[in-house]
Amino acid sequence: VGSTVAEEYDTEVGAFYEMQAAKLGNLKPDDATIMALSADRQKLLAGQTMFRANCATCHAPDGGGKTGPNLTDDFYINVKRPEDLFRVVRDGVEAKGMPKWGKRFSEVQLVLLSSYVASLRGSSPASPLKAQGDQVGAWTVPVAAPESPAEKTASVDPTVADAATGR
């Protein structure tokens, strides 16, 4: 028996979003990038498609867990920070049956997939598995330090006249 129409559609949509992901360039697998992407509905579509095609078998389509843990609660086995999601997805956790996806997906795809997984936290799956692992506090994203006055001055375009001084 071949693929269903829905599976073929998901495959085609996934290929499209993978092409779009390639256009994003180099995405850093860090906390700030993963959290920013986890709030971007458009970019999450690529991660969602990859998740449904590759991860839903173990984690359920809504992330509530099956043979793999629930990804929607605040409890994690191998994750303390958002960038740990990237590491676990890329390197797997052999002892727990989590496959290594690092050879199958590009780094950009892994960042998008990790961002989608991060977005599942706090959602309400239909049949969630009970919590596993340690409770992890809310993820916070470091805020970039404000520019110093010297950096602000250096970034001003001297060819633009200042309306207040007429220079």
Side-chain angles (χ1 to χ4, degrees):
V1 177
S3 300
T4 67
V5 172
E7 289 169 337
E8 288 177 14
Y9 173 78
D10 282 345
T11 300
E12 288 179 26
V13 169
F16 170 77
Y17 285 118
E18 288 172 22
M19 288 188 327
Q20 297 302 311
K23 292 178 183 179
L24 293 173
N26 186 24
L27 295 176
K28 294 179 182 176
D30 58 22
D31 291 343
T33 302
I34 290 170
M35 292 308 294
L37 291 171
S38 74
D40 186 324
R41 289 188 154 307
Q42 286 290 83
K43 292 184 179 81
L44 281 180
L45 292 173
Q48 179 183 36
T49 301
M50 293 186 326
F51 183 88
R52 287 184 177 165
N54 299 282
C55 311
T57 302
C58 295
H59 295 285
D62 60 7
K66 286 184 173 181
T67 58
N70 179 348
L71 302 173
T72 66
D73 59 22
D74 292 332
F75 292 82
Y76 294 89
I77 300 169
N78 296 291
V79 172
K80 299 291 182 214
R81 302 172 28 192
E83 65 187 42
D84 293 336
L85 292 168
F86 174 85
R87 181 186 44 76
V88 169
V89 171
R90 182 192 64 202
D91 301 335
V93 181
E94 191 174 329
K96 295 289 186 178
M98 171 72 183
K100 297 177 185 181
W101 295 104
K103 291 185 179 179
R104 179 162 185 187
F105 297 117
S106 70
E107 185 166 288
V108 170
Q109 291 170 318
L110 292 168
V111 170
L112 291 169
L113 180 56
S114 301
S115 298
Y116 178 72
V117 172
S119 78
L120 294 173
R121 187 175 187 182
S123 62
S124 301
S127 299
L129 287 182
K130 72 177 194 170
Q132 297 174 321
D134 299 321
Q135 186 168 13
V136 174
W139 291 326
T140 58
V141 179
V143 177
E147 289 184 8
S148 70
E151 290 172 322
K152 285 183 182 179
T153 303
S155 66
V156 173
D157 184 351
T159 63
V160 177
D162 181 351
T165 63
R167 296 188 278 158

